Amino acid sequence: IHRIVPAPATQKRLFKTSALNETFAQRPNEKRLKNHRKRLPKIPKEYLPEAGTMMSFAPFLNNIPATLRMGRSLFRLRPSFSISATPLTVVSVPHPDSHQRTSSFSTSKTKRQRPIFVAATKQHVGKTTTSLALMSGLQKRFPKVGFIKPVGQQHVDVFSKTLGTYIQVDKDICLLKEQFHLDHIDYRHMSPVIIPRGYTKKYIDGKISFDDQVKEIDSAFSEVDKASDVVLIEGTGHCAVGSIVNVNNAKVANLLGASMLLIANGGLGSAFDELELNRVLCQHYDVPIAGVVINKVLPDKYEQTKHYMAKALNDQWGVPLLGCVPDRPFLGCPALADLERLFKSELVCGFDHRYRHYNVKDMNLITTSLTRFLENIRTKHPRTLYICHVTRDDIILGFMAEYQRNRREEERPFEAALLVCGRKGKYQMAEEVKDMFEGLDGAPVLVVEYSTHEAMKLIHDYTPKLNIDDKNRVRKAVEHYEPYIDFEELLRRTSE
């Protein structure tokens, strides 16, 4: 609840309220307050309430068009702030029954957690993996942790309990909600804006308005924020993604009053350069940077990267390195289910092993005789992905025979898989060979309509994504990332 009272335009001290607000009474940062006043847009009188009245701040904000307020954070007042937008001063007065977000590390003073916005410097740097680790750590420190991805791209259909129907949400929403049992929030509020194919053209043509997007994001976040002690927000790609439709990550972070956590890949020079581009955009939208997490650091350069990156960030930005995570190759190894999605095909046998992972380095293109192939499959790494052409009936039959022999003699676990390649319309597998796959549940075989060269290139260039069905990889990702993140410093820098 917020009290609106007359105050001099030059007032720079806090308005000291009743004992309810004594905890928050302190002198604000003069420079920040001065800059904050400069940024306040002029609001027409018809949108201002009468002086001395009591009202909720949310209706007051919602009455102002988005084109005037230009971002919720301009009006998201910290409890200790008194801001003169006109001859009126808005002062935050917490209600005795109001819910205050407090972290487990706070002691004598009550602290409110700002939302934490996670953005990356580019694709495939581990943003979603970091979000999983952050969610796991935050749930150990807060009773209810909210999650929202304001702007999404790749979507899935899920059932909304509050709407009683299926809706489209970003695929990462499904992963986080199901993995961490976020039952206190509904799907409808976790993915307010989806950008499918054709969305950008509709926006430019004026069929989708900026105000409508902001309203959806603002409304959804308010519901998640109201039901949670702290909110984790995941962006889409780097900070500028979404600029074409005027809802890039930095702008949305400003709208929601969030602090930014930037994620980058391991390295020094190139990593810092990419971070700088994103920092400038955050500065443009007045989004505070809570810190940086560096992922996929080479183990032999871990200490060097951690030391110099932390020093560079502190010296040049005054921002801490909140995490430095060594690379773990397993997390980047595709499962057979990933290859099914990549090639838009399905296993012809071995369905029980769809979530068995294979290292790309152990991929083996068969160009030798059947004798040499059988020798390799018996002596080399057991979990190897073999690739052959569809015309190599001898290799296909040999693979099936070796599985049967291995199961009969029980020499060692049979974990090999076979990828059979052949261009569509030119080559196809004989029906007699297909019939022989029945009963080979332990020998995964995937038939794809690509040449061997095309298939290998696609696999090499492919970056598998975490999904809720691959529970083993999700669990190992959280276990690996979480210990390397400094949660106490993150919460300290995002508390008010």
Side-chain angles (χ1 to χ4, degrees):
I1 296 176
H2 299 262
R3 184 187 301 275
I4 301 177
V5 297
T10 57
Q11 179 181 356
K12 291 187 178 179
R13 294 187 60 83
L14 289 174
F15 183 83
K16 294 188 178 181
T17 60
S18 62
L20 292 173
N21 206 31
E22 288 180 359
T23 306
F24 303 98
Q26 52 182 317
R27 177 186 288 273
N29 183 293
E30 301 290 341
K31 184 177 180 181
R32 182 186 299 168
L33 184 56
K34 183 178 180 181
N35 292 336
H36 201 93
R37 282 177 177 150
K38 288 181 179 180
R39 293 196 308 272
L40 286 172
K42 292 183 178 180
I43 304 171
K45 293 181 179 180
E46 60 265 26
Y47 295 114
L48 292 174
E50 295 181 3
T53 60
M54 292 290 293
M55 66 176 294
S56 170
F57 193 57
F60 167 57
L61 180 61
N62 292 334
N63 285 335
I64 302 174
T67 52
L68 288 176
R69 52 192 170 100
M70 294 301 292
R72 178 172 176 164
S73 68
L74 294 181
F75 293 92
R76 176 180 284 276
L77 305 181
R78 299 185 181 185
S80 61
F81 269 47
S82 173
I83 299 176
S84 297
T86 63
L88 298 179
T89 297
V90 181
V91 181
S92 174
V93 183
H95 190 276
D97 298 327
S98 64
H99 177 66
Q100 294 290 340
R101 296 191 207 137
T102 58
S103 63
S104 58
F105 70 93
S106 62
T107 53
S108 59
K109 293 186 178 181
T110 303
K111 296 184 178 181
R112 181 184 184 280
Q113 290 299 141
R114 290 170 60 90
I116 301 170
F117 197 111
V118 183
T121 55
K122 58 182 180 181
Q123 280 188 317
H124 310 318
V125 298
K127 174 171 55 64
T128 300
T129 308
T130 303
S131 295
L132 284 166
L134 288 170
M135 178 60 72
S136 177
L138 291 173
Q139 282 193 332
K140 294 180 175 66
R141 295 165 172 81
F142 295 91
K144 292 182 179 180
V145 182
F147 183 78
I148 182 174
K149 191 165 184 177
V151 181
Q153 292 177 318
Q154 299 181 22
H155 57 269
V156 294
D157 293 332
V158 297
F159 186 78
S160 169
K161 293 182 179 178
T162 58
L163 294 176
T165 186
Y166 282 89
I167 61 173
Q168 291 182 338
V169 300
D170 187 272
K171 60 182 180 58
D172 291 335
I173 292 295
C174 185
L175 170 62
L176 270 290
K177 181 171 171 56
E178 298 301 320
Q179 177 68 22
F180 295 103
H181 308 290
L182 306 181
D183 300 328
H184 63 291
I185 48 181
D186 188 67
Y187 274 121
R188 65 178 295 196
H189 301 129
M190 301 178 73
S191 186
V193 175
I194 296 291
I195 304 181
R197 186 181 298 274
Y199 186 95
T200 301
K201 295 177 182 177
K202 291 181 180 178
Y203 181 85
I204 296 174
D205 288 336
K207 297 177 182 179
I208 300 172
S209 73
F210 170 70
D211 283 355
D212 288 341
Q213 292 181 134
V214 170
K215 182 178 180 181
E216 290 294 330
I217 294 172
D218 197 54
S219 175
F221 175 78
S222 296
E223 292 297 326
V224 174
D225 185 49
K226 183 169 58 177
S228 309
D229 299 290
V230 64
V231 180
L232 181 65
I233 309 170
E234 183 180 336
T236 301
H238 55 77
C239 287
V241 169
S243 295
I244 188 67
V245 293
N246 215 16
V247 283
N248 65 58
N249 288 317
K251 190 167 189 173
V252 173
N254 171 280
L255 171 71
L256 303 181
S259 294
M260 186 70 74
L261 179 65
L262 294 175
I263 314 298
N265 262 350
L268 286 175
S270 60
F272 195 88
D273 292 345
E274 292 167 355
L275 285 165
E276 176 66 14
L277 292 173
N278 288 268
R279 182 195 69 83
V280 170
L281 196 60
C282 288
Q283 184 181 47
H284 174 73
Y285 285 102
D286 194 28
V287 177
I289 298 177
V292 171
V293 173
I294 302 296
N295 289 338
K296 303 179 184 179
V297 180
L298 295 176
D300 58 336
K301 294 186 177 181
Y302 179 79
E303 293 299 332
Q304 170 186 295
T305 301
K306 182 178 180 181
H307 172 74
Y308 285 104
M309 182 58 77
K311 190 174 188 304
L313 289 170
N314 183 66
D315 292 349
Q316 298 189 40
W317 295 7
V319 168
L321 179 65
L322 294 177
C324 189
V325 185
D327 188 30
R328 185 172 183 183
F330 166 77
L331 299 178
C333 294
L336 293 174
D338 294 317
L339 299 184
E340 286 183 311
R341 284 188 287 270
L342 175 64
F343 294 113
K344 295 180 175 58
S345 183
E346 293 183 358
L347 290 167
V348 295
C349 59
F351 307 102
D352 293 339
H353 305 292
R354 293 181 70 244
Y355 294 101
R356 180 183 286 169
H357 299 83
Y358 291 85
N359 194 324
V360 175
K361 295 180 179 179
D362 294 328
M363 189 165 54
N364 194 327
L365 175 62
I366 305 168
T367 58
T368 60
S369 65
L370 174 61
T371 303
R372 180 59 62 88
F373 167 65
L374 294 176
E375 181 183 334
N376 287 339
I377 202 172
R378 293 172 186 175
T379 58
K380 287 196 171 184
H381 192 281
R383 187 170 292 193
T384 300
L385 177 63
Y386 292 97
I387 300 176
C388 76
H389 195 264
V390 69
T391 57
R392 292 295 304 268
D393 292 342
D394 58 332
I395 298 298
I396 298 172
L397 295 174
F399 179 82
M400 292 188 287
E402 179 61 22
Y403 165 69
Q404 297 285 11
R405 188 195 69 81
N406 183 280
R407 187 173 65 171
R408 183 175 62 253
E409 299 183 7
E410 298 182 351
E411 291 182 349
R412 64 175 184 173
F414 189 90
E415 297 182 339
L418 182 65
L419 185 69
V420 181
C421 304
R423 288 179 182 172
K424 183 178 181 181
K426 189 173 183 180
Y427 301 100
Q428 59 183 1
M429 184 178 294
E431 291 298 328
E432 294 81 5
V433 176
K434 289 182 180 179
D435 293 339
M436 298 183 69
F437 285 125
E438 295 184 8
L440 297 179
D441 293 336
V445 177
L446 182 64
V447 180
V448 301
E449 296 177 335
Y450 293 85
S451 69
T452 54
H453 173 74
E454 291 171 336
M456 293 185 70
K457 187 177 187 307
L458 285 171
I459 295 174
H460 272 289
D461 295 342
Y462 180 66
T463 301
K465 295 295 185 179
L466 295 169
N467 63 83
I468 189 60
D469 297 318
D470 196 347
K471 297 185 181 298
N472 183 46
R473 182 160 55 189
V474 172
R475 177 177 56 81
K476 289 188 177 296
V478 173
E479 291 175 351
H480 179 64
Y481 271 65
E482 187 178 346
Y484 291 99
I485 298 175
D486 188 347
F487 283 91
E488 303 310 314
E489 180 64 12
L490 171 63
L491 294 177
R492 187 188 70 80
R493 288 184 60 84
T494 57
S495 64
E496 298 178 335

